[in-house]
Amino acid sequence: PNPAPPTVSRRGALWFVGSGSLLLFVTTAGQNFDGVLRRTALLAPHGGGEPASGPGGFQINKTAAYAGIDPGETSEEAWRLVVVGRAGRTVRLGRAELLRLPLHSSALPIACVEGWSTSDQWWRGVRLRDLAALVGYEDAPPDVFVESLQRHGAFRRAALRANQVADPRSLLALFVNGEDLSPDHGYPARVIVPAAPGVLNTKWVARLTFGDL
Ligand SMILES: Nc1nc2c(c(=O)[nH]1)N[C@H]1C(S)=C(S)[C@@H](COP(=O)(O)O)O[C@H]1N2
Ligand SMILES: [Mo]
């Protein structure tokens, strides 16, 4: 029966709603366009690179160029995966050595919290739990800390839990859809794990440190 005096005028309320809608419009409309305009879509999927066609033709979060990956450091001669395990046990593996380990396949999507996901892609590589076994965790694999060749940016490292490492579908992938990973999808090696946000699928992997985190 005794409402408090209004704290906002009718005009104020209309202005607030109107400018809020306009702000949403300008921060999402860019997703409908290509090129520079697309990057203005701060609140909508704006992608990093446009998917090409062929085996690597699915969405890309950050391209190799954006992440500052120098093709010289991903070559067969230069690149070594460093795997650290129990009591500091360390092995270094080139791509050729990884290919001599048992290879397995997983059909898994990438689901990015930025608002897109792919259909299942056919990944092939070495099981994370097999890599844990190489450095002293033969039975129950522990957590793993994954680091990329990428030097800057929040996505250059990720931690995976023991249950994710133990999952037989979790791979250090070397191939996707029957071909070598493309540079933008993480060549020479990237993590792929089931039922996790895309950000855990670290690309251009350089180092895996197994041990409870
Ligand atoms: N090193 C590195 N790995 C990364 C990223 C990154 O920026 N740098 N982006 C992550 C995010 S947010 C997603 S969704 C996936 C996307 O993988 P894709 O680009 O191969 O589709 O990679 C993840 N791995
Ligand atoms: Mo993502």
Side-chain angles (χ1 to χ4, degrees):
N2 282 314
T7 55
V8 61
S9 66
R10 179 189 304 260
R11 178 174 300 196
L14 283 174
W15 187 86
F16 181 72
V17 172
S19 54
S21 310
L22 188 65
L23 183 69
L24 275 177
F25 177 76
V26 300
T27 51
T28 51
Q31 73 172 312
N32 298 305
F33 304 99
D34 283 335
V36 194
L37 275 178
R38 195 170 177 95
R39 273 181 263 141
T40 65
L42 299 174
L43 297 178
H46 47 271
E50 292 304 311
S53 56
F58 56 95
Q59 287 95 317
I60 294 163
N61 171 266
K62 299 285 188 292
T63 62
Y66 181 96
I69 305 298
D70 168 0
E73 57 184 347
T74 58
S75 69
E76 289 258 357
E77 304 77 56
W79 182 78
R80 292 291 176 276
L81 173 74
V82 179
V83 189
V84 183
R86 201 188 285 281
R89 206 156 124 191
T90 303
V91 298
R92 285 185 175 71
L93 302 162
R95 200 177 147 99
E97 289 158 304
L98 280 167
L99 291 175
R100 269 181 251 126
L101 297 174
L103 300 182
H104 297 271
S105 300
S106 294
L108 291 171
I110 290 186
C112 180
V113 292
E114 284 171 13
W116 52 263
S117 52
T118 70
S119 52
D120 280 358
Q121 309 297 319
W122 184 59
W123 307 92
R124 192 160 173 79
V126 181
R127 282 183 175 150
L128 293 182
R129 67 180 195 195
D130 290 350
L131 291 168
L134 280 184
V135 288
Y137 293 101
E138 287 82 6
D139 19 68
D143 303 340
V144 67
F145 185 63
V146 183
E147 291 166 275
S148 173
L149 286 173
Q150 189 183 346
R151 281 169 202 84
H152 306 284
F155 301 160
R156 69 197 175 93
R157 42 198 188 183
L160 298 173
R161 285 294 170 198
N163 66 313
Q164 294 173 300
V165 176
D167 194 302
R169 295 168 295 174
S170 298
L171 303 177
L172 181 74
L174 305 165
F175 304 97
V176 65
N177 302 322
E179 291 201 351
D180 285 354
L181 291 173
S182 67
D184 290 340
H185 286 301
Y187 182 88
R190 65 116 27 105
V191 166
I192 184 82
V193 294
V199 65
L200 293 183
N201 297 323
T202 309
K203 302 195 280 191
W204 315 291
V205 171
R207 194 181 182 92
L208 297 172
T209 308
F210 290 95
D212 287 315
L213 297 171

Coordinates of all heavy atoms in Angstrom, one line a residue, residues 76 79-81 92-104 124-127 130-131 134 172 174-175:
E76 N 61.1 -32.3 -37.1 CA 61.5 -33.6 -36.6 C 62.9 -33.5 -35.9 O 63.1 -34.2 -34.9 CB 61.7 -34.6 -37.7 CG 60.4 -35.1 -38.4 CD 60.0 -36.5 -38.0 OE1 60.8 -37.1 -37.2 OE2 58.9 -36.9 -38.4
W79 N 62.3 -30.9 -32.4 CA 61.3 -31.1 -31.3 C 61.6 -32.4 -30.5 O 61.8 -33.5 -31.1 CB 59.9 -31.2 -31.9 CG 58.8 -31.4 -30.9 CD1 58.3 -30.4 -30.1 CD2 58.1 -32.6 -30.6 NE1 57.3 -31.0 -29.3 CE2 57.2 -32.3 -29.6 CE3 58.2 -33.9 -31.1 CZ2 56.3 -33.3 -29.0 CZ3 57.4 -34.9 -30.5 CH2 56.5 -34.6 -29.5
R80 N 61.5 -32.3 -29.2 CA 61.6 -33.4 -28.3 C 60.5 -33.3 -27.3 O 60.4 -32.2 -26.7 CB 63.0 -33.5 -27.6 CG 64.1 -33.8 -28.5 CD 64.1 -35.3 -29.1 NE 65.2 -35.5 -30.0 CZ 65.1 -35.2 -31.3 NH1 64.1 -34.6 -31.8 NH2 66.2 -35.5 -32.1
L81 N 59.8 -34.3 -27.0 CA 58.8 -34.3 -25.9 C 59.6 -34.7 -24.7 O 60.3 -35.8 -24.6 CB 57.7 -35.4 -26.2 CG 56.8 -35.5 -25.0 CD1 55.8 -34.4 -24.9 CD2 56.0 -36.8 -25.2
R92 N 63.3 -38.3 -23.0 CA 63.1 -37.4 -24.1 C 62.8 -38.2 -25.4 O 63.5 -39.1 -25.7 CB 64.3 -36.5 -24.4 CG 64.5 -35.5 -23.3 CD 65.7 -34.6 -23.7 NE 65.8 -33.5 -22.7 CZ 66.1 -33.7 -21.4 NH1 66.5 -34.8 -21.0 NH2 66.1 -32.6 -20.6
L93 N 61.7 -37.8 -26.0 CA 61.3 -38.6 -27.2 C 61.0 -37.7 -28.4 O 60.3 -36.7 -28.3 CB 60.0 -39.3 -26.9 CG 59.9 -40.3 -25.7 CD1 58.5 -40.6 -25.3 CD2 60.7 -41.6 -26.0
G94 N 61.7 -38.1 -29.5 CA 61.4 -37.4 -30.8 C 60.1 -38.0 -31.4 O 59.6 -39.0 -30.8
R95 N 59.6 -37.4 -32.4 CA 58.4 -37.9 -33.0 C 58.5 -39.3 -33.5 O 57.6 -40.1 -33.3 CB 57.9 -36.9 -34.2 CG 56.5 -37.1 -34.5 CD 56.0 -36.1 -35.6 NE 55.0 -36.7 -36.4 CZ 53.7 -36.5 -36.2 NH1 53.3 -35.7 -35.3 NH2 52.8 -37.1 -37.0
A96 N 59.7 -39.6 -34.1 CA 59.9 -41.0 -34.6 C 59.8 -42.0 -33.4 O 59.3 -43.1 -33.6 CB 61.2 -41.1 -35.3
E97 N 60.4 -41.6 -32.3 CA 60.3 -42.6 -31.1 C 58.9 -42.7 -30.6 O 58.5 -43.8 -30.2 CB 61.3 -42.1 -30.0 CG 62.7 -42.2 -30.4 CD 63.6 -41.2 -29.6 OE1 63.4 -40.0 -29.7 OE2 64.6 -41.7 -29.0
L98 N 58.2 -41.6 -30.6 CA 56.8 -41.7 -30.2 C 56.0 -42.7 -31.1 O 55.1 -43.5 -30.6 CB 56.1 -40.4 -30.2 CG 56.4 -39.5 -29.0 CD1 56.0 -38.0 -29.3 CD2 55.7 -40.0 -27.7
L99 N 56.3 -42.6 -32.4 CA 55.6 -43.4 -33.3 C 55.9 -44.9 -33.2 O 55.1 -45.8 -33.6 CB 55.9 -43.0 -34.8 CG 55.4 -41.6 -35.2 CD1 55.9 -41.2 -36.6 CD2 53.9 -41.6 -35.2
R100 N 57.0 -45.2 -32.5 CA 57.3 -46.7 -32.2 C 56.6 -47.2 -31.0 O 56.6 -48.4 -30.7 CB 58.8 -46.8 -32.1 CG 59.4 -47.2 -33.4 CD 60.9 -47.4 -33.3 NE 61.6 -46.3 -34.0 CZ 62.5 -45.5 -33.4 NH1 62.9 -45.7 -32.1 NH2 63.1 -44.5 -34.0
L101 N 55.9 -46.3 -30.2 CA 55.1 -46.8 -29.0 C 53.8 -47.2 -29.6 O 53.4 -46.9 -30.7 CB 54.9 -45.6 -28.1 CG 56.2 -45.1 -27.4 CD1 55.9 -43.8 -26.6 CD2 56.9 -46.1 -26.6
P102 N 53.0 -48.0 -28.8 CA 51.7 -48.4 -29.2 C 50.8 -47.2 -29.5 O 50.7 -46.3 -28.7 CB 51.1 -49.2 -28.0 CG 52.3 -49.6 -27.2 CD 53.4 -48.6 -27.4
L103 N 50.2 -47.2 -30.7 CA 49.3 -46.1 -31.1 C 47.9 -46.5 -30.9 O 47.5 -47.7 -31.2 CB 49.6 -45.6 -32.5 CG 51.0 -45.1 -32.8 CD1 51.2 -44.7 -34.2 CD2 51.4 -44.0 -31.8
H104 N 47.0 -45.6 -30.5 CA 45.6 -45.9 -30.3 C 44.8 -44.8 -30.9 O 45.3 -43.6 -31.0 CB 45.3 -46.0 -28.8 CG 46.0 -47.2 -28.1 ND1 45.5 -48.4 -28.1 CD2 47.3 -47.2 -27.6 CE1 46.4 -49.2 -27.5 NE2 47.5 -48.5 -27.1
R124 N 44.7 -40.0 -33.3 CA 45.5 -41.2 -33.1 C 46.9 -40.7 -32.5 O 47.4 -39.7 -32.9 CB 45.8 -41.8 -34.5 CG 46.4 -43.2 -34.4 CD 46.2 -44.0 -35.7 NE 46.9 -45.2 -35.7 CZ 46.5 -46.3 -35.0 NH1 45.4 -46.3 -34.3 NH2 47.3 -47.4 -35.0
G125 N 47.3 -41.5 -31.5 CA 48.5 -41.1 -30.8 C 48.8 -42.1 -29.7 O 48.3 -43.2 -29.6
V126 N 49.6 -41.6 -28.7 CA 50.0 -42.4 -27.6 C 49.1 -42.1 -26.4 O 48.9 -41.0 -26.1 CB 51.5 -42.1 -27.3 CG1 52.0 -43.0 -26.1 CG2 52.4 -42.3 -28.5
R127 N 48.7 -43.2 -25.7 CA 47.9 -43.0 -24.5 C 48.7 -42.3 -23.4 O 49.9 -42.6 -23.2 CB 47.4 -44.3 -23.9 CG 46.3 -44.9 -24.7 CD 45.8 -46.2 -24.1 NE 44.6 -46.6 -24.9 CZ 44.2 -47.8 -25.1 NH1 44.9 -48.8 -24.5 NH2 43.1 -48.1 -25.8
D130 N 50.2 -44.6 -21.0 CA 51.4 -45.3 -21.4 C 52.6 -44.4 -21.2 O 53.7 -44.9 -20.9 CB 51.3 -45.7 -22.9 CG 50.2 -46.8 -23.1 OD1 49.8 -47.4 -22.1 OD2 49.9 -47.1 -24.3
L131 N 52.5 -43.1 -21.4 CA 53.6 -42.2 -21.2 C 53.9 -42.2 -19.7 O 55.1 -42.1 -19.3 CB 53.3 -40.8 -21.8 CG 53.2 -40.8 -23.3 CD1 52.6 -39.5 -23.8 CD2 54.6 -41.0 -23.9
L134 N 56.1 -45.0 -18.8 CA 57.5 -44.9 -19.2 C 58.3 -44.3 -18.1 O 59.5 -44.4 -18.1 CB 57.6 -44.1 -20.5 CG 57.2 -44.6 -21.8 CD1 57.5 -43.6 -22.9 CD2 58.1 -45.9 -22.1
L172 N 48.1 -38.4 -26.2 CA 48.9 -37.4 -26.8 C 48.8 -37.6 -28.3 O 49.4 -38.6 -28.8 CB 50.4 -37.5 -26.3 CG 51.2 -36.4 -26.9 CD1 51.0 -35.1 -26.2 CD2 52.7 -36.8 -26.8
L174 N 49.0 -37.5 -32.3 CA 50.0 -37.1 -33.3 C 49.4 -36.9 -34.7 O 49.9 -36.3 -35.6 CB 51.1 -38.2 -33.4 CG 51.8 -38.5 -32.1 CD1 52.6 -39.8 -32.2 CD2 52.7 -37.4 -31.7
F175 N 48.2 -37.6 -34.8 CA 47.4 -37.5 -36.1 C 46.0 -37.1 -35.8 O 45.5 -37.4 -34.7 CB 47.4 -38.9 -36.7 CG 48.7 -39.5 -37.0 CD1 49.3 -40.4 -36.1 CD2 49.4 -39.2 -38.1 CE1 50.5 -41.0 -36.3 CE2 50.7 -39.7 -38.4 CZ 51.2 -40.6 -37.5

